[in-house]
Amino acid sequence: MSGIEVITFGCRLNTYESEVMKAQAEKAGLNHAILVNTCAVTGEAVRQARQAIRRARRDNPHARIIVTGCAAQTEKQTFAAMAEVDAVLGNEEKLTSASYRSLPDFGVSAEEKLRVNDIMSVKATAPQMIRHIDGHVRAFIQVQNGCDHRCTFCIIPYGRGNSRSVPMGAVVDQARKLVDGGYREIVLTGVDATSYGGDLPGAPTLGLLAKTLLKQIPDIRRLRLSSIDSIEADAHLMDLIADEPRFMPHLHLSLQHGDDMILKRMKRRHLRADALRFIEDARRLRPEMSFGADMIAGFPTETEEMFENAVRLAEEAGIAHLHVFPYSPRPGTSAARMPQLDRSLVKDRAARLRATGLRLHQSHLDRMIGTRQWLLVENNGLAHTENFTLVAAPGLRPGELVPVTITGHNGKHLDMQLTAAAAA
């Protein structure tokens, strides 16, 4: 191989940072290299990264393989010990060209492979400028990194460090570059995005940042947020939900569970009633609002009654896009030291919760039939509505905004018919 290939796991923030990594590596003159940007959310994510590294070495025996990302930050020795790996970079180091210029030669020891600092010592997030996100018709912008909270199940703060925000002016500049490059939709991403601004002068909020972007860049056609913590939603965000048609009617919530005792043991900052109240308020302001959510099944000490409370929350909230994670103990977290459930029970509950999510998704698809929607066409013959529902869009040009009428669905995605209105 020649050039640089990037293999990305995990969140939208990683997708954004992979573009930064590639640009910095090219700037440093790196060639014949594979950059693996890992995720540490679950043990399965780490296993998949290790599997991909071994496959990359088999397919490219002479390429340099550089591993970075959250799993590399939290389990650096694991990856340094792999014979297939030439270097391990931390989450801070992966974003600078100097890291790629100073890579060790082949054949070095595991310790010499490591370029991973103490992520907790990082106090600021430097603005990164990119003009293109390979393979995506929507553009992601990092507005925040790290997390100040310590949920008992989560290893990510130890991979990302404490919360730090990108100054508002730099976010506006990045968004303007991407819109000028032809992107119709912008997605604001972060590890704990709703904590945005707490470390900046004047403490601007995520909602204020989104308002500012839409005001200063009229050519943004669609603005989305990645996963948010609803307990931190501010008045500016609620204003956007109510009054701004360019703010998309879909929010992905970090719910994690629906039982108050489990939420307390997770050290979440919301209770069941808080989540339901936010969803009700948002739908009152914007009836077409849809919600996605992350939920964990089989958390330590979870009883059957507690699990049923999680199922009922998903049903009462009408979650259209439910992402279910079987609880995965992460070494270094306090939940890993709690009384664990049998793995077969964890998998069974995850399957049952996924079945609930599938049923809720089917109901959501049913409700969409007969509605008129604007689609953003993807690169794979599919598209997304404004409320982030998947639609089959064969033959349409990627990146187009197209008006359609929803005619049916196949259980996974919607079917559509073009309307008479011209594509945007």
Side-chain angles (χ1 to χ4, degrees), residues 22-68:
K22 186 175 183 181
Q24 294 296 330
E26 289 172 345
K27 180 180 177 182
L30 191 66
N31 196 8
H32 306 291
I34 299 171
L35 313 182
V36 184
N37 199 8
T38 64
C39 173
V41 168
T42 64
E44 176 62 16
V46 178
R47 188 194 69 79
Q48 289 177 1
R50 288 168 57 84
Q51 187 179 54
I53 290 164
R54 294 189 182 100
R55 184 167 55 248
R57 174 57 72 211
R58 288 196 301 270
D59 294 343
N60 303 277
H62 303 298
R64 276 191 167 183
I65 296 180
I66 298 142
V67 181
T68 184

Side-chain angles (χ1 to χ4, degrees), residues 285-310:
L285 296 171
R286 193 112 172 242
E288 70 270 30
M289 180 73 71
S290 75
F291 291 94
D294 295 327
M295 295 189 77
I296 295 172
F299 187 80
T301 76
E302 180 190 75
T303 65
E304 181 66 20
E305 181 182 1
M306 292 170 174
F307 170 72
E308 289 296 337
N309 282 337

Side-chain angles (χ1 to χ4, degrees), residues 274-292:
D274 299 319
L276 289 171
R277 187 181 308 111
F278 172 79
I279 291 168
E280 180 183 354
D281 289 346
R283 283 207 177 105
R284 176 174 47 80
L285 296 171
R286 193 112 172 242
E288 70 270 30
M289 180 73 71
S290 75
F291 291 94

Side-chain angles (χ1 to χ4, degrees), residues 214-233:
L214 290 168
K215 180 179 179 180
Q216 295 197 16
I217 311 175
D219 288 339
I220 295 178
R221 297 293 299 273
R222 294 165 47 140
L223 181 68
R224 290 191 192 277
L225 305 180
S226 61
S227 179
I228 70 165
D229 209 334
S230 61
I231 201 70
E232 292 182 313

Side-chain angles (χ1 to χ4, degrees), residues 151-392:
C151 296
T152 59
F153 57 84
C154 187
I155 195 68
I156 296 305
Y158 307 100
R160 288 286 181 175
N162 290 317
S163 182
R164 50 209 188 273
S165 308
V166 178
M168 191 178 295
V171 177
V172 172
D173 289 343
Q174 172 67 100
R176 185 172 284 116
K177 281 185 171 60
L178 290 164
V179 171
D180 289 346
Y183 284 96
R184 308 288 188 91
E185 183 172 305
I186 300 293
V187 184
L188 305 183
T189 71
V191 175
D192 181 25
T194 34
S195 71
Y196 175 83
D199 56 325
L200 296 178
T205 62
L206 181 66
L208 180 60
L209 172 63
K211 269 187 179 178
T212 301
L213 283 169
L214 290 168
K215 180 179 179 180
Q216 295 197 16
I217 311 175
D219 288 339
I220 295 178
R221 297 293 299 273
R222 294 165 47 140
L223 181 68
R224 290 191 192 277
L225 305 180
S226 61
S227 179
I228 70 165
D229 209 334
S230 61
I231 201 70
E232 292 182 313
D234 65 292
H236 293 294
L237 179 57
M238 303 311 286
D239 288 345
L240 289 170
I241 292 172
D243 300 324
E244 176 51 75
R246 292 184 294 156
F247 185 80
M248 295 294 96
H250 169 79
L251 291 172
H252 190 86
L253 307 178
S254 180
L255 294 183
Q256 307 306 343
H257 212 274
D259 180 83
D260 283 348
M261 181 56 71
I262 293 294
L263 288 167
K264 290 176 182 178
R265 289 172 180 166
M266 287 178 165
K267 286 194 175 179
R268 299 296 293 160
R269 287 164 296 144
H270 71 272
L271 297 175
R272 174 193 188 88
D274 299 319
L276 289 171
R277 187 181 308 111
F278 172 79
I279 291 168
E280 180 183 354
D281 289 346
R283 283 207 177 105
R284 176 174 47 80
L285 296 171
R286 193 112 172 242
E288 70 270 30
M289 180 73 71
S290 75
F291 291 94
D294 295 327
M295 295 189 77
I296 295 172
F299 187 80
T301 76
E302 180 190 75
T303 65
E304 181 66 20
E305 181 182 1
M306 292 170 174
F307 170 72
E308 289 296 337
N309 282 337
V311 173
R312 281 193 289 271
L313 175 67
E315 292 172 337
E316 291 173 31
I319 302 299
H321 312 279
L322 189 62
H323 293 188
V324 176
F325 297 87
Y327 171 73
S328 174
R330 308 299 288 124
T333 63
S334 55
R337 299 189 294 273
M338 296 179 183
Q340 304 291 306
L341 302 188
D342 184 84
R343 292 309 300 172
S344 62
L345 180 58
V346 172
K347 292 179 181 178
D348 175 70
R349 287 181 178 171
R352 289 160 59 193
L353 189 53
R354 287 192 183 106
T356 297
L358 179 60
R359 177 167 48 80
L360 292 170
H361 186 61
Q362 300 299 300
S363 296
H364 171 70
L365 296 178
D366 289 341
R367 289 191 298 272
M368 295 286 288
I369 296 173
T371 63
R372 298 188 67 180
Q373 303 287 332
W374 281 88
L375 308 183
L376 178 65
V377 183
E378 311 283 348
N379 289 313
N380 54 3
L382 297 171
H384 279 99
T385 64
E386 292 183 339
N387 67 8
F388 209 62
T389 307
L390 204 59
V391 183

